[in-house]
Amino acid sequence: MKSKSRSKWSTISCILLVGALLSTCWGQSSSVHASATAYKFDFGAGGVTSGYTGVQASTAYNASTGYGFNTPANIKNVSASGTGIGSDAVQFVTFGTKSNNTFNVDLPNGLYEVKVTLGNTSRSSVAAEGVYQLINMTGDLATDQFQIPITDGQLNLLVTEGKVGAAFTLSALEITQVSTNPTTHPTIYVGGDSTVANYYPLANSVQGGWGQMLSKFINPNDYLVRNMASGGQIARGFRDDGQLEAILKYIKPGDYFIVQLGINDTNAKNNTTEAQFKEIMRDMVKQVKAKGATVILSTPQGRATDFNSSGVHNAEGRWYRAATVALAKEEQVPLIDLNVLSSSYFTSIGANATLALYMNGDTLHPNYAGATELARIVVDNMKAQGLY
């Protein structure tokens, strides 16, 4: 997958000497690299937005420029519905987290902030260094960012499947060095299903997951939040299909992994008994604990309609909650019993106000406001337990 040459360091040295030499070093008549640690790429066959380096599907990786596609034959130029950087894109024709169909950028080793803007796509994920980085970005021109350590002199990034049959496109990429030390900041990794996942645009989506809103209540100087949850996910899928793999690649002592599953596991079509669910979750707990990080198990909130005739909300019999509660005790890991905590909150505000926190005509999935309240409850309980 890596296409490297030691000659890239001459490129970087040249960039470091003086910004005026950038066009010579990178072979761009109007290079936009402000320094050796800031890079901006505009993808597609249309015009190049000021301040960006243009990259077309045919742009092959070249050690003298330090960037390009590893297999340009598997990339094509496509249009997009936005303006500026969002007016065009490239589409990844082949995909998969292990694909060598990557966009490669030579970088000095360190920690980087990577911002991606997709083109037109219904749902796509972003992978780099062979693992997922962003899960199920939904909607045209979705934007998100992540931090990644680079330890081998090159970033290898691609857009891949979030939904089979979707077009996996990339309109723009911005890369900024955060530190010369390739060590991730303290991080809270989150795993779960559609009640936890991100929805786009992140700042004002209609639907929300509490993992999406968690950063509203976490000081970024204390922890970054990396939400790896995805709609429809079950414990077996989270463990086996790449999401846990991405977390295990980066998680370290001092980090947290909060995982909430069980809703979809209870669906008969997924063929997962409560005993099987518990043991799969146990396996994930053990793998993360072996990395020296702290696992926090969470139980899912109930449905908006789980009120009894006395106006009390109770959902304790749902979503394999008993298995999660028992597992936390057996493995001696913290438990956020969001099922019970949210029920207490829902009871306090009443049935009508609770229903207003869910999507219209949907008693399971929270809207933006509902997800925000759930995230607040999660963080409040972390504080109550001395975890934050």
Side-chain angles (χ1 to χ4, degrees):
M1 179 179 292
K2 303 285 186 182
S3 299
K4 295 189 177 69
S5 169
R6 293 300 95 190
S7 65
K8 70 174 180 288
W9 299 117
S10 63
T11 299
I12 293 167
S13 298
C14 182
I15 294 171
L16 284 167
L17 287 174
V18 60
L21 294 179
L22 286 169
S23 60
T24 301
C25 295
W26 288 80
Q28 294 288 325
S29 59
S30 57
S31 178
V32 297
H33 298 281
S35 72
T37 56
Y39 312 82
K40 300 170 76 173
F41 299 99
D42 182 352
F43 295 91
V48 179
T49 301
S50 177
Y52 287 75
T53 295
V55 179
Q56 296 195 30
S58 59
T59 304
Y61 172 79
N62 185 306
S64 65
T65 62
Y67 66 89
F69 290 105
N70 196 48
T71 54
N74 294 326
I75 301 290
K76 67 178 182 180
N77 295 315
V78 294
S79 61
S81 58
T83 59
I85 59 172
S87 64
D88 56 358
V90 292
Q91 180 177 340
F92 291 75
V93 178
T94 62
F95 46 89
T97 58
K98 309 304 181 188
S99 170
N100 66 357
N101 190 31
T102 54
F103 181 69
N104 302 334
V105 185
D106 292 341
L107 300 170
N109 288 346
L111 182 66
Y112 288 83
E113 184 90 7
V114 178
K115 179 180 179 180
V116 297
T117 301
L118 302 187
N120 287 8
T121 177
S122 58
R123 193 189 327 175
S124 296
S125 297
V126 176
E129 308 311 299
V131 298
Y132 286 118
Q133 302 292 336
L134 299 170
I135 300 293
N136 286 2
M137 295 176 67
T138 50
D140 296 344
L141 305 172
T143 299
D144 205 345
Q145 57 195 36
F146 59 93
Q147 287 191 1
I148 185 170
I150 299 297
T151 59
D152 58 3
Q154 191 178 79
L155 172 70
N156 306 99
L157 180 142
L158 56 83
V159 183
T160 187
E161 69 270 26
K163 180 180 181 180
V164 175
F168 311 123
T169 60
L170 179 64
S171 278
L173 180 66
E174 299 179 26
I175 306 168
T176 305
Q177 190 174 53
V178 175
S179 170
T180 57
N181 179 9
T183 302
T184 56
H185 291 311
T187 302
I188 298 174
Y189 295 90
V190 183
D193 53 41
S194 57
T195 66
V196 186
N198 287 348
Y199 297 87
Y200 296 81
L202 290 171
N204 58 359
S205 61
V206 177
Q207 187 169 349
W210 66 253
Q212 172 185 348
M213 310 303 174
L214 203 64
S215 59
K216 290 178 176 288
F217 304 97
I218 298 292
N219 187 329
N221 294 321
D222 297 332
Y223 294 96
L224 298 179
V225 177
R226 293 291 300 273
N227 189 10
M228 303 300 289
S230 61
Q233 190 57 280
I234 61 175
R236 183 182 292 106
F238 193 92
R239 182 190 65 179
D240 296 346
D241 295 341
Q243 286 151 289
L244 182 65
E245 176 192 24
I247 292 169
L248 292 173
K249 182 178 178 71
Y250 299 113
I251 202 165
K252 62 189 184 304
D255 291 345
Y256 287 109
F257 174 42
I258 308 176
V259 57
Q260 175 188 292
L261 291 159
I263 292 177
N264 297 298
D265 299 82
T266 63
N267 191 317
K269 71 177 183 180
N270 290 315
N271 299 314
T272 305
T273 67
E274 187 163 9
Q276 290 170 331
F277 166 78
K278 184 179 180 182
E279 292 312 307
I280 294 168
M281 294 288 284
R282 189 192 307 276
D283 184 38
M284 288 196 283
V285 168
K286 288 181 176 294
Q287 289 191 63
V288 174
K289 286 173 70 175
K291 292 286 186 175
T294 298
V295 182
I296 302 174
L297 295 179
S298 173
T299 59
Q301 92 283 350
R303 290 187 176 274
T305 49
D306 285 334
F307 282 87
N308 64 22
S309 60
S310 300
V312 175
H313 191 279
N314 185 291
E316 291 184 24
R318 290 196 181 277
W319 320 138
Y320 290 163
R321 172 184 173 271
T324 301
V325 173
L327 180 62
K329 184 176 181 179
E330 291 166 14
E331 293 297 327
Q332 298 183 311
V333 298
L335 172 73
I336 297 174
D337 199 350
L338 186 59
N339 182 288
V340 171
L341 294 168
S342 62
S343 283
S344 177
Y345 173 68
F346 295 153
T347 298
S348 74
I349 64 174
N352 289 336
T354 296
L355 193 62
L357 295 176
Y358 284 73
M359 296 292 289
N360 288 337
D362 183 342
T363 65
L364 176 61
H365 296 98
N367 56 26
Y368 192 95
T372 301
E373 290 299 332
L374 292 172
R376 176 189 59 77
I377 293 169
V378 167
V379 175
D380 284 350
N381 193 250
M382 289 179 68
K383 292 177 179 177
Q385 295 191 56
L387 298 169
Y388 178 60

